[in-house]
Amino acid sequence: MPLSTQSQADDEQYVLVASMDNARNLSNILKAITFKDQAIFSATPNGLKVTVEDSKCLQANAFIQAEIFQEFTIKEDLVGFQVNLTVLLDCLSIFGGSTVPGVSTALRMCYKGYGYPLTLFLEEGGVVTVCKINTQEPEEPIDFEFCSNNVTNKVILLSESLKEAFSELDMTSEVLQITMSPSQPYFRLSTFGNSGNAHYDYPKDSEMMELFKCTKTQTNRYKMSLLKPSTKALALSCKVSVRTDIRGFLSLQYLVRNDDGQICFVEYYCCPDEEVEEE
Amino acid sequence: MKFRGKIVDVACLNHVTRVISTISKLTKTCVLRLTADNLFFVLSGKVANGGVSMWCELSQANVFDEYQMEGVSSEDNEICLEVTPENLSRALKTVQNAKAVKVKLTKKHCPCLTIAAELPTLSSISRVVTHDVPVDVIPRRLWHEFKEPSMPDFDVSVYLPPLKTMKNVVDRMKNLSNFLVIEANLSGEMNLKIETDLVSVTTHFKDLGNPLWGDDASQDGGPSPSRDPEAMAQARVDIRKLQQFLMGQQVNPSKAMCNIVHERVVHLILLHEDVSLQYFIPAVA
């Protein structure tokens, strides 16, 4: 059943059909949010949003716009389902994870609607694999109520600079403390681990700092274990925006370029660690 | 019982080392049969190894420059040893640089295959390396367990797809399921399928070609001429057994085939130069 000869009639029954010449453009970005097995898929005419949550305190979203796909056909305003993300990733890389230049796996993802499995048609070198992954009713993703109006502090940094800091972070520290301020130290990451306290400062006029808009001095702590998965997104990205709102909620937005140079976004929302008092 | 062999050609040494290395990935222990013309590595299917059996055959003339073998008796002119291929492989790997390698059946504290070689060093004095690899002599009364397997009465015979592609797919499928179904038909199609509560995955290979076994096969009861070419013969196997077979293959064989006896056994045959390797994986319910 080669992808190209799938009949028109088959397509009629699907509420969602999304095709990609290179399945890695989907699997790479999904790897950036795979810290739990279950993922909520929400498809709209704008594209695909994949959500993974952890203990109601952390949410990661990957956005793949319709334009990234070679074909993106949706028959409803919103198509939602839940699947096992680890199984999906194993299916997307069924022909092996190696990156031989010029060889890629073509993907056609199809969904008939509630109660039906997510069907993937994958093709590489003339060999076709068909996967049917069972779906579940999607849980409602948490609304962190993070809106631009309530943002107190925002910086945009080149990922390069944060990658170094995150790779050196003292993981024995239970929390990562983020200080943002219109005055010194401007943007500071702190850890309190077995080796002592460590601070990483980013001055507002640093060449790594693309944007600096801080209105109020804020210090917030976030559980290290919750933020750790975000390093995968950081590794893929070229730029990251860090925002906090009046409640101390954190939004990290990553700009990711795929194999073909197209842009996708990954965002992480995280609640502040309860035990700390706001300054 | 006497055995002495000398390997002088580096290509022959590489050849036999590679074969033994492949065998070592398929099984921890096996039987080595030495006859006047051939070396056979045999694993007979027992419950302990999940019923998997293996038969590997190569001609001694393509390995040894000098070969002296005196079997148990003149009527039974062969030697049967139980060996650990990993030990042989390791020993052979250390002497790849040697000008000549001698292999001898010896008796130290127990029967051994002694591998001895002179290795070149920076000075003019050579370094002699000797490995005594312990083996067990298999008594004649048990030899019947290690006979060449007869070609099974298969329903379908098909050429395998590129082993690397098969291995990649099987590796991923192993993450999803413990069992895999192999099916193939006489139109050169083969499918690998897994099915669990969470997911079902089928990989379709086409245009593989079907080997023609000729008159011998039809005497053994090969595929009947009236068989529907589209009809699939299938067998459900433990995925680890198939994965193990695929992991061991280091060289692209010149011929790779698969015979399926519907719901009974998968018979894999690899041919490369003068070496033939057969591997039998029993079907599970």
Side-chain angles (χ1 to χ4, degrees):
Chain A
M1 214 195 308
L3 301 185
S4 52
T5 63
Q6 248 215 314
S7 67
Q8 280 254 296
D10 287 346
D11 277 12
E12 304 279 301
Q13 48 187 299
Y14 295 120
V15 299
L16 173 66
V17 176
S19 305
M20 248 184 196
D21 287 343
N22 183 355
R24 270 200 301 273
N25 286 339
L26 180 61
S27 59
N28 280 348
I29 200 168
L30 291 182
K31 281 185 201 160
I33 61 167
T34 308
F35 48 88
K36 285 275 166 179
D37 276 346
Q38 293 299 311
I40 304 164
F41 275 66
S42 315
T44 67
N46 289 334
L48 191 62
K49 178 171 100 158
V50 184
T51 305
V52 179
E53 290 175 348
D54 186 2
S55 53
K56 308 248 179 266
C57 301
L58 182 80
Q59 182 184 87
N61 295 299
F63 296 91
I64 307 114
Q65 292 99 291
E67 295 75 48
I68 309 281
F69 294 91
Q70 267 67 57
E71 178 197 351
F72 194 87
T73 310
I74 183 167
K75 293 207 175 124
E76 285 164 24
D77 287 334
L78 173 67
V79 172
F81 54 84
Q82 196 164 301
V83 282
N84 185 314
L85 191 53
T86 321
V87 168
L88 173 62
L89 282 173
D90 274 328
C91 291
L92 289 174
S93 57
I94 196 79
F95 291 109
S98 77
T99 46
V100 179
V103 177
S104 64
T105 305
L107 164 71
R108 192 154 205 271
M109 195 162 65
C110 308
Y111 182 60
K112 280 191 203 172
Y114 183 73
Y116 288 92
L118 176 66
T119 304
L120 306 176
F121 298 95
L122 296 135
E123 185 260 323
E124 187 177 293
V127 181
V128 176
T129 297
V130 184
C131 307
K132 292 191 159 64
I133 310 173
N134 285 344
T135 59
Q136 287 152 279
E137 184 139 11
E139 279 170 22
E140 191 66 41
I142 301 168
D143 182 357
F144 279 67
E145 290 171 4
F146 198 98
C147 67
S148 327
N149 293 340
N150 297 334
V151 170
T152 45
N153 293 317
K154 172 176 178 170
V155 302
I156 297 182
L157 284 158
L158 294 183
S159 303
E160 211 178 300
S161 57
L162 276 187
K163 279 178 198 174
E164 260 184 72
F166 268 77
S167 67
E168 291 168 7
L169 281 182
D170 181 359
M171 289 299 165
T172 64
S173 169
E174 275 195 27
V175 295
L176 176 65
Q177 179 172 287
I178 301 182
T179 302
M180 294 171 85
S181 171
S183 54
Q184 295 264 17
Y186 303 116
F187 182 72
R188 171 179 281 181
L189 302 175
S190 309
T191 56
F192 314 95
N194 297 340
S195 346
N197 301 345
H199 304 285
Y200 293 85
D201 288 356
Y202 293 84
K204 73 171 182 183
D205 50 10
S206 152
E207 49 185 27
M208 294 292 161
M209 189 76 69
E210 216 180 69
L211 183 104
F212 186 89
K213 266 199 194 150
C214 292
T215 64
K216 192 178 123 155
T217 300
Q218 263 190 317
T219 299
N220 291 295
R221 291 184 176 195
Y222 307 92
K223 279 205 162 50
M224 190 68 91
S225 56
L226 289 178
L227 286 185
K228 199 151 177 290
S230 70
T231 45
K232 278 197 235 171
L234 181 62
L236 281 183
S237 68
C238 43
K239 270 191 224 175
V240 54
S241 119
V242 182
R243 300 179 300 166
T244 49
D245 70 3
I246 32 184
R247 305 164 300 168
F249 276 53
L250 175 69
S251 149
L252 298 165
Q253 288 176 321
Y254 302 90
L255 193 155
V256 175
R257 265 188 216 281
N258 67 19
D259 280 2
D260 297 316
Q262 298 162 306
I263 293 175
C264 295
F265 290 95
V266 174
E267 75 189 352
Y268 273 74
Y269 289 113
C270 191
C271 302
D273 198 23
E274 296 282 326
E275 289 146 38
V276 182
E277 276 149 25
E278 276 284 356
E279 260 175 56
Chain B
M1 240 190 334
K2 207 160 111 172
F3 165 61
R4 265 170 196 266
K6 190 166 168 195
I7 307 172
V8 298
D9 188 295
V10 70
C12 294
L13 182 55
N14 284 347
H15 174 62
V16 71
T17 308
R18 258 204 308 268
V19 171
I20 296 176
S21 174
T22 300
I23 304 284
S24 72
K25 298 202 170 72
L26 291 176
T27 178
K28 220 163 142 252
T29 61
C30 68
V31 166
L32 169 60
R33 280 179 57 186
L34 300 158
T35 66
D37 299 318
N38 293 304
L39 305 176
F40 301 97
F41 290 92
V42 188
L43 178 68
S44 74
K46 292 200 168 89
V47 176
N49 47 329
V52 161
S53 56
M54 171 198 72
W55 176 269
C56 179
E57 181 176 325
L58 59 159
S59 87
Q60 63 76 359
N62 284 339
V63 177
F64 297 100
D65 199 59
E66 285 167 29
Y67 186 83
Q68 275 176 306
M69 198 281 304
E70 274 170 39
V72 156
S73 70
S74 49
E75 296 122 28
D76 298 305
N77 190 26
E78 71 175 76
I79 299 172
C80 254
L81 305 169
E82 188 178 21
V83 301
T84 302
E86 169 70 20
N87 293 342
L88 284 172
S89 163
R90 255 194 257 134
L92 286 171
K93 281 181 182 159
T94 66
V95 299
Q96 293 291 299
N97 285 341
K99 267 203 310 205
V101 175
K102 293 185 189 159
V103 186
K104 216 161 62 155
L105 182 62
T106 58
K107 187 153 173 134
K108 306 278 162 101
H109 51 282
C110 68
C112 288
L113 273 177
T114 296
I115 296 170
E118 264 183 47
L119 294 180
T121 63
L122 291 173
S123 69
S124 55
I125 306 167
S126 317
R127 180 165 63 99
V128 175
V129 173
T130 311
H131 291 271
D132 293 317
V133 181
V135 298
D136 262 323
V137 176
I138 308 253
R140 198 165 5 136
R141 62 186 160 78
L142 295 177
W143 286 12
H144 63 275
E145 287 180 24
F146 309 107
K147 281 197 329 233
E148 176 162 10
S150 52
M151 183 68 73
D153 194 0
F154 54 82
D155 296 298
V156 166
S157 181
V158 70
Y159 284 110
L160 286 171
L163 295 184
K164 185 141 201 302
T165 309
M166 259 187 100
K167 178 180 172 323
N168 284 340
V169 168
V170 172
D171 280 350
R172 281 298 187 275
M173 285 181 167
K174 182 170 166 300
N175 290 343
L176 301 167
S177 171
N178 289 332
F179 297 100
L180 172 147
V181 169
I182 305 179
E183 60 178 25
N185 64 20
L186 291 175
S187 302
E189 294 173 336
M190 173 188 270
N191 299 328
L192 299 177
K193 309 197 292 200
I194 56 138
E195 187 161 344
T196 67
D197 288 340
L198 286 177
V199 65
S200 75
V201 180
T202 305
T203 298
H204 303 265
F205 295 98
K206 292 176 136 48
D207 300 326
L208 295 172
N210 300 91
L212 300 165
W213 289 95
D215 288 340
D216 287 347
S218 47
Q219 266 167 25
D220 285 331
S224 81
S226 59
R227 188 188 165 90
D228 172 12
E230 305 283 319
M232 291 282 178
Q234 69 169 51
R236 186 162 182 260
V237 299
D238 180 333
I239 210 173
R240 286 165 302 180
K241 304 275 184 300
L242 181 59
Q243 192 191 34
Q244 194 162 25
F245 172 77
L246 293 167
M247 269 198 312
Q249 305 317 316
Q250 303 170 298
V251 182
N252 268 332
S254 42
K255 274 210 163 88
M257 297 165 282
C258 172
N259 296 339
I260 303 178
V261 180
H262 188 66
E263 285 173 0
R264 299 296 292 279
V265 70
V266 173
H267 175 209
L268 299 155
I269 309 171
L270 301 185
L271 300 174
H272 186 70
E273 294 166 353
D274 68 310
V275 183
S276 80
L277 173 64
Q278 297 181 54
Y279 201 70
F280 297 82
I281 307 178
V284 296

